[in-house]
Amino acid sequence: MLILSLILYLLSFFVAILSYYGKIAQKAVLPPLMFAIVSYFIYILHISIKLGSFPFANPYGFSSILGNTMVLALTIFSIKNSQFLRFSAIFSFIGILSALLALPSEPSPYRNPLYSLHILSALFAYVSAFFGGLSSLLRLLLERRLKQKDLPAFSLSINLLRTSERLMVNLSFVLLTLTLIFGSFWTRVHFGKHWVNDPKLLFTFILWMYYAFVVHLNLVRGLKPKQLSILILLGSLFSLLNLLFVRHEV
């Protein structure tokens, strides 16, 4: 199923390129893209059932699932807002890279459900952080263009973007909280204590404190929209750094 997913992602990429030149309709990219995503997650579900836990334990597997989850979310949003189909080649390319990352991944040796819950909450925390940053970036760019009275060809409702970034920053905080809670209980079972000196856990805790600060500062003081967007963008950047450059040592 993984090979099938890769083939379908490649097909959707070429269909997207053809749609840019007006050879075919933009919506023609949706069937191969959706089937690629479905094939990938069938593959993940099969491994999860076989192992009885979250399928991967190394950064390659985690990043693979993260990338495909983001492609899934972007594709669903594109169905509701056809303007995003302009970026379908980028979605397909991200899908190709994410599916390829599953090849060097290793099966998870952990069977404890707390580990699966810990990883899943971390996965969705990253997704929320990245989409929060994307919403903030688009809102800042669109507002700047509108102030310059330069109407962009691609536009979304400012209110929709404001709602999205606020929702995502709150979700990021909640999911990071769950990540630390489930991680603490799993660490207690696996290592005999609730905390281990691990760079990944430490940076995740710092990231949680940052999101706690942003969420509560906004609740107490009511940050200006631009200030909140900048802080959410920074949180997305910190999340990216944690994902790419900080590794577990235990």
Side-chain angles (χ1 to χ4, degrees):
M1 294 303 290
L2 181 61
I3 300 301
L4 176 60
S5 177
L6 278 167
I7 293 171
L8 290 168
Y9 271 131
L10 283 168
L11 177 60
S12 66
F13 178 78
F14 288 118
V15 170
I17 295 298
L18 289 174
S19 71
Y20 291 158
Y21 293 99
K23 302 294 184 181
I24 56 177
Q26 282 186 332
K27 289 187 176 181
V29 73
L30 287 174
L33 187 56
M34 288 299 298
F35 279 117
I37 296 168
V38 170
S39 298
Y40 176 84
F41 281 106
I42 289 175
Y43 166 75
I44 295 301
L45 181 62
H46 171 73
I47 297 178
S48 299
I49 293 173
K50 183 178 179 180
L51 295 176
S53 71
F54 190 83
F56 304 127
N58 65 354
Y60 297 109
F62 183 85
S63 299
S64 177
I65 297 178
L66 175 63
N68 277 276
T69 302
M70 293 181 66
V71 172
L72 172 60
L74 289 167
T75 304
I76 292 173
F77 197 76
S78 298
I79 295 173
K80 295 185 177 182
N81 193 316
S82 58
Q83 293 186 85
F84 272 83
L85 288 175
R86 300 179 185 183
F87 308 104
S88 55
I90 298 176
F91 303 163
S92 300
F93 186 69
I94 294 173
I96 293 168
L97 294 180
S98 299
L100 285 172
L101 283 174
L103 295 175
S105 62
E106 300 173 356
S108 172
Y110 309 118
R111 301 294 182 266
N112 193 305
L114 289 170
Y115 171 78
S116 297
L117 291 171
H118 166 65
I119 297 298
L120 283 172
S121 55
L123 176 74
F124 289 113
Y126 281 119
V127 171
S128 300
F130 295 152
F131 276 105
L134 178 61
S135 299
S136 294
L137 179 62
L138 289 174
R139 193 186 72 77
L140 290 171
L141 292 175
L142 288 173
E143 286 191 340
R144 182 179 180 183
R145 295 286 295 273
L146 290 173
K147 286 180 180 178
Q148 295 173 348
K149 297 182 180 179
D150 181 14
L151 296 178
F154 173 83
S155 64
L156 290 170
S157 167
I158 296 295
N159 288 332
L160 174 63
L161 292 172
R162 284 178 179 171
T163 301
S164 176
E165 63 179 359
R166 290 172 186 272
L167 174 63
M168 291 299 117
V169 72
N170 285 294
L171 275 177
S172 298
F173 171 62
V174 171
L175 289 165
L176 283 171
T177 303
L178 293 175
T179 299
L180 291 173
I181 291 173
F182 290 133
S184 174
F185 285 121
W186 175 74
T187 302
R188 178 69 177 86
V189 172
H190 194 71
F191 295 103
K193 51 186 177 181
H194 284 287
W195 182 263
V196 291
N197 292 323
D198 179 71
K200 193 77 167 183
L201 292 177
L202 178 60
F203 201 94
T204 300
F205 179 68
I206 295 172
L207 191 61
W208 173 81
M209 288 195 296
Y210 176 82
Y211 274 99
F213 169 77
V214 173
V215 169
H216 288 88
L217 183 64
N218 186 51
L219 286 174
V220 173
R221 296 190 58 186
L223 293 170
K224 294 180 180 179
K226 186 175 181 179
Q227 293 174 330
L228 180 60
S229 295
I230 292 173
L231 289 174
I232 293 173
L233 269 174
L234 286 174
S236 183
L237 176 61
F238 296 151
S239 299
L240 184 63
L241 292 174
N242 189 31
L243 176 67
L244 295 179
F245 299 109
V246 185
R247 294 287 180 262
H248 284 292
E249 291 185 356
V250 294

